[in-house]
Amino acid sequence: MSRDRFPALDRRSFLTAALTATAATTLAGVAAPAARAAAPAASPASWPTQPVRLVVPFPPGGGTDLLARALADRLSKLYPQPFVVENRPGAGAAVGTDYVAKSTDGHTFLFASSNHVTVPALSTAVRYDIFKDFKSVVLVADQASVLAVDPELPGKDAAEVLAHIKANPGKYNYGTAGIGSGQHLSTAFLQQLTGIDIVHVPLKGQGEIISELLGKRIQAGFLVLSTALPYFRSGQIRPLAVALPERSPFAPEIPTFGEAGLKDFAARSWLGLLAPAATPTAVVDRLHADIVGFAKDKDYVAITEKAGMALVNEGPAAFDAEIAAGYAQWKQVIQTAGIKPS
């Protein structure tokens, strides 16, 4: 990638536009295909009349799966029917997402991560529309992402380390979970804002990124805070900046990108619940209220904190705006960087 600085991409403008787009999307949803507009089998008053499925479009064991299971356990105690997690991984989450988009039983929901917006921004091959085929229920939590580097890189802070990398184009490598992954897009965005020229090394996930950093075969990579924190605390890997508006309460010693002079950098990693578009608003509102109420459950909060998640519990309107803003942001990053699906 060229070392010339790209025009700054201001995410605040995406959020402003998203609030307008949300209203337009709601109207557009009226024109959804009849098969997806079919009324759920149960009325809101009697819902649920059968087990409720929370589809996680990833394999078991990850952060999305963990939080979905914590929610399912607590929701099962509030309703006359159980809530069960069903893992449907594949195609970067597109398999499970498409399954829920086509569901008409009124008892199937999607527990998604922020790649809900990056996958369709990257590929036109997906068979669902994230705006027309889904209704936001609640944006449950944020999961902090941290730019991590080899401790031997020169510089006392993020600004100096990035300046050093910029002064040495093509000399250093960064690892990701693959082309189009969150780490790849976040670094592409960082390149566009700073003009650094750093070599992409696609890997298989967080574990391999950490292994390659420890082995000094790569010098940088974005890591989930909860996964990487022991390596940060031991000094084996150095955290430069956290991709949050404010410092994480789980690692307040790590500065934000804004503090490093990159106020336009945003790479929000969220987890949230979505419903098929035809789901009654009364059901959505009821679920939203119940999930927000779990913030008072000490055991539930302890699970999220152990996983490095910060509960936000943003409602449907704010979640709609986040989805619209995220899609617009990553679509522009992808187009500017010329990233193609692998």
Side-chain angles (χ1 to χ4, degrees), residues 1-333:
M1 177 173 289
S2 169
R3 289 180 291 139
D4 295 336
R5 184 181 179 89
F6 284 83
L9 305 177
D10 186 353
R11 194 170 188 275
R12 288 187 292 274
S13 64
F14 292 136
L15 283 168
T16 302
L19 293 172
T20 303
T22 297
T25 300
T26 301
L27 292 175
V30 175
R36 294 180 183 175
S43 68
S46 60
W47 187 91
T49 59
Q50 64 188 58
V52 179
R53 292 182 295 172
L54 303 186
V55 174
V56 174
F58 304 102
T64 310
D65 181 69
L66 182 151
L67 185 53
R69 292 180 186 278
L71 280 177
D73 177 65
R74 279 147 185 83
L75 288 167
S76 294
K77 296 174 183 177
L78 294 181
Y79 289 83
Q81 296 286 341
F83 283 65
V84 295
V85 170
E86 183 175 313
N87 298 91
R88 285 183 173 263
V95 170
T97 304
D98 184 65
Y99 176 80
V100 176
K102 291 177 170 56
S103 173
T104 58
D105 66 4
H107 293 75
T108 301
F109 295 80
L110 178 69
F111 199 76
S113 72
S114 46
N115 77 346
H116 183 70
V117 299
T118 60
V119 170
L122 180 66
S123 173
T124 58
V126 295
R127 298 177 295 177
Y128 52 85
D129 187 314
I130 61 172
F131 300 109
K132 294 181 181 179
D133 293 341
F134 294 94
K135 182 177 288 185
S136 294
V137 180
V138 53
L139 195 163
V140 180
D142 281 330
Q143 194 167 34
S145 179
V146 180
L147 176 60
V149 299
D150 181 341
E152 294 182 7
L153 278 179
K156 71 175 186 296
D157 55 24
E160 289 190 2
V161 172
L162 291 171
H164 173 77
I165 293 173
K166 185 175 181 179
N168 292 272
K171 179 179 179 179
Y172 298 112
N173 304 323
Y174 74 96
T176 76
I179 294 173
S181 64
Q183 299 101 328
H184 185 202
L185 300 185
S186 295
T187 311
F189 189 23
L190 187 63
Q191 288 178 290
Q192 291 167 22
L193 290 174
T194 63
I196 61 173
D197 180 0
I198 185 169
V199 179
H200 182 206
V201 180
L203 300 168
K204 294 180 180 178
Q206 292 275 309
E208 194 169 1
I209 295 171
I210 290 173
S211 176
E212 294 297 287
L213 275 168
L214 293 174
K216 300 187 181 300
R217 290 175 288 275
I218 63 172
Q219 289 72 46
F222 277 91
L223 296 172
V224 173
L225 175 59
S226 58
T227 303
L229 195 54
Y231 301 96
F232 295 159
R233 296 272 166 83
S234 69
Q236 293 172 282
I237 299 174
R238 181 183 177 188
L240 282 188
V242 62
L244 291 173
E246 298 177 353
R247 295 192 182 202
S248 169
F250 308 113
E253 69 275 16
I254 304 176
T256 67
F257 277 92
E259 291 174 301
L262 292 168
K263 297 186 183 301
D264 289 329
F265 183 84
R268 189 176 190 181
S269 180
W270 52 257
L271 303 172
L273 186 66
L274 297 131
T279 305
T281 300
V283 171
V284 168
D285 291 344
R286 185 179 174 190
L287 280 172
H288 172 226
D290 288 336
I291 291 171
V292 169
F294 295 151
K296 299 177 182 178
D297 182 325
K298 292 182 180 180
D299 291 338
Y300 173 73
V301 172
I303 290 172
T304 62
E305 288 183 347
K306 185 177 181 180
M309 301 174 189
L311 293 176
V312 292
N313 291 328
E314 294 178 356
F319 197 1
D320 283 345
E322 175 60 36
I323 288 170
Y327 178 82
Q329 173 188 348
W330 295 120
K331 188 74 173 178
Q332 184 171 338
V333 169

